[in-house]
Amino acid sequence: MLETDEHKDLRAAVAALGKRYGRAYLTRTVAEGRPPTELWSEAGKLGYLGVNLPEAYGGGGAGITELSIVLEELGAAGCPLLMMVVSPAICGTVIARFGTEEQKRAWLPSLANGTRTMAFGITEPDAGSNSHRITTTARRDGADWVLSGRKVFVSGVDIADAVLVVGRTEDARTGRLKPCLFIVPTDADGFQRRPIDMELTAAEKQFELVMDEVRLPADALVGGGTSHAFGSGGEDAGLLQLFAGLNPERIMTAAFAIGMGRHALGRAVEYARERTVWKAPIGSHQAIAHPLAQAHIELELARLMTRKAAHLYDAGDDVGAGEAANMAKYAAGEACVRAVDQAVHTLGGNGLTREFGLASLITAARVARIAPVSREMILNYVSHQTLGLPKSY
């Protein structure tokens, strides 16, 4: 799975962009309480945000492989864009694969160039990892849909033009609820957002959403009609298609974590080369060098699995990509946490100062262990789906 020359060139170009902004830029935007608008806008103009979206709709015509490279390299430069996981990777992919022609024309070009963004709402207060318990529902009212429910931990709603909301509709044939996706404008009547007070230091804020009888036109339903785009096959047909669309989220989260880990490790290696306490740089001591080498190995292994997952997804193998994407996200999350921890430990007291900018990563690194799916749920998936062990829940 060696990278092509085109991929290497993409890495180099994005790394150069990231270097011009860097960790200091992202830290400044967080302190000012605003999103990284300048970096987002420039990345969009250069075609990086929509590199995975179809050329016919203003994208780069490539895949999640290329988009994950962009996010990883920005992360390695210290300025990752979290909304890349959401807007082009999840929402853009779902609309490109399942949306109507009108939805594609309306949204994909602006998602690709970054002039509009879309958030994604699936998690609910009482559902957690169990998407079968989603209670956000939509009912027909003439030609319209009326949507009601709550969502939590929705990233970037304050800068989004719409939220791709996972809800449920009643199947006219069976009377049972089935999952469907709706494009909900953030300025719709009855749509309310409340920021969640997070200890996490990030430019993108987290929100709770309340949708109280939000009236939507018929074409707000992804795929149109009665969600025929998700096919038939029972109440969970839409859910299965949704999970296929969520593979990019896991792959991109892995890329996010790997980039963060690379950034932390790079700072630690630089410090270990220069910091001299007795007669030699501290990096010459195995107690310092070996843990850093181990962190590098673990990050490289996670990169390989992430590359495999992206390759399978872009090849159209949703089943294979599902397994690999979960493994990649698990491996990257663990590697990131260990790399950040070792980086801080290498710097000692300096690792906790604002000057070096590593302490804030201690909390941020744990996100990859928790979201979008916990490592325990990934272990459940692998033990049940891959190893064939009995299901525990």
Side-chain angles (χ1 to χ4, degrees):
M1 287 208 178
L2 296 177
E3 287 189 334
T4 65
D5 289 340
E6 289 80 4
H7 288 163
K8 293 176 183 176
D9 290 343
L10 178 62
R11 280 194 186 276
V14 176
L17 172 65
K19 187 176 181 180
R20 286 199 286 108
Y21 285 86
R23 188 69 188 170
Y25 163 77
L26 198 66
T27 300
R28 187 168 65 253
T29 64
V30 171
E32 295 171 356
R34 65 181 184 86
T37 306
E38 298 86 359
L39 176 56
W40 180 270
S41 178
E42 186 167 354
K45 290 176 181 176
L46 292 171
Y48 297 147
L49 297 182
V51 69
N52 63 308
L53 299 176
E55 285 186 283
Y57 302 98
I64 291 299
T65 297
E66 290 74 16
L67 192 66
S68 65
I69 287 173
V70 173
L71 182 56
E72 181 190 334
E73 290 304 320
L74 289 176
C79 50
L81 295 172
L82 176 62
M83 289 304 288
M84 283 187 65
V85 180
V86 181
S87 194
I90 302 175
C91 302
T93 297
V94 168
I95 292 173
R97 287 186 62 172
F98 308 126
T100 64
E101 183 62 28
E102 291 75 13
Q103 289 166 344
K104 293 175 184 178
R105 287 202 304 264
W107 283 101
L108 294 183
S110 54
L111 293 183
N113 64 27
T115 55
R116 289 205 290 177
T117 59
M118 189 177 287
F120 179 67
I122 182 171
T123 304
E124 295 188 357
D126 298 320
S129 297
N130 188 356
S131 298
H132 295 275
R133 291 187 59 189
I134 285 175
T135 58
T136 297
T137 55
R139 57 179 173 81
R140 284 280 195 183
D141 186 11
D144 296 340
W145 290 99
V146 178
L147 185 67
S148 294
R150 292 174 64 201
K151 299 290 181 183
V152 290
F153 297 114
V154 184
S155 303
V157 181
D158 55 330
I159 58 173
D161 299 275
V163 181
L164 188 63
V165 173
V166 181
R168 289 194 162 195
T169 63
E170 184 176 331
D171 191 319
R173 295 169 300 172
T174 66
R176 301 167 74 184
L177 294 177
K178 61 179 182 179
C180 295
L181 284 83
F182 293 88
I183 300 172
V184 183
T186 53
D187 60 358
D189 290 339
F191 181 94
Q192 303 172 47
R193 68 173 191 245
R194 181 184 68 81
I196 300 173
D197 192 14
M198 305 288 290
E199 290 281 357
L200 177 67
T201 302
E204 300 85 0
K205 298 179 176 64
Q206 299 295 312
F207 291 87
E208 176 184 0
L209 304 183
V210 176
M211 290 157 286
D212 183 12
E213 298 283 289
V214 175
R215 183 169 293 274
L216 301 169
D219 59 6
L221 179 66
V222 173
T226 56
S227 194
H228 62 269
F230 292 112
S232 58
E235 64 173 335
D236 289 331
L239 191 60
L240 295 175
Q241 294 290 344
L242 172 63
F243 284 160
L246 287 180
N247 285 336
E249 183 182 34
R250 285 153 172 73
I251 295 168
M252 291 292 286
T253 301
F256 186 92
I258 292 165
M260 187 188 305
R262 284 177 55 198
H263 174 74
L265 182 63
R267 296 302 304 271
V269 169
E270 180 182 15
Y271 187 88
R273 284 198 191 109
E274 298 175 354
R275 174 69 165 165
T276 300
V277 178
W278 281 280
K279 296 181 180 180
I282 62 173
S284 65
H285 304 301
Q286 291 180 351
I288 299 294
H290 284 187
L292 294 176
Q294 184 179 10
H296 174 72
I297 291 170
E298 292 173 351
L299 286 168
E300 285 298 299
L301 291 173
R303 286 179 80 185
L304 283 173
M305 182 54 77
T306 302
R307 198 176 305 167
K308 175 182 178 180
H311 172 76
L312 290 172
Y313 183 82
D314 290 337
D317 184 355
D318 284 334
V319 175
E323 178 186 65
N326 275 292
M327 291 181 178
K329 187 268 178 189
Y330 179 95
E334 297 301 298
C336 177
V337 168
R338 283 194 285 267
V340 168
D341 182 71
Q342 191 57 46
V344 172
H345 197 65
T346 299
L347 271 68
N350 283 329
L352 300 176
T353 64
R354 292 189 186 277
E355 176 186 354
F356 288 91
L358 291 176
S360 62
L361 298 183
I362 296 173
T363 306
R366 299 200 70 85
V367 173
R369 273 183 168 178
I370 298 168
V373 58
S374 70
R375 58 180 178 173
E376 288 75 22
M377 288 305 296
I378 290 177
L379 293 174
N380 281 336
Y381 178 95
V382 172
S383 61
H384 177 61
Q385 297 290 336
T386 303
L387 302 182
L389 295 173
K391 198 170 184 178
S392 62
Y393 58 94

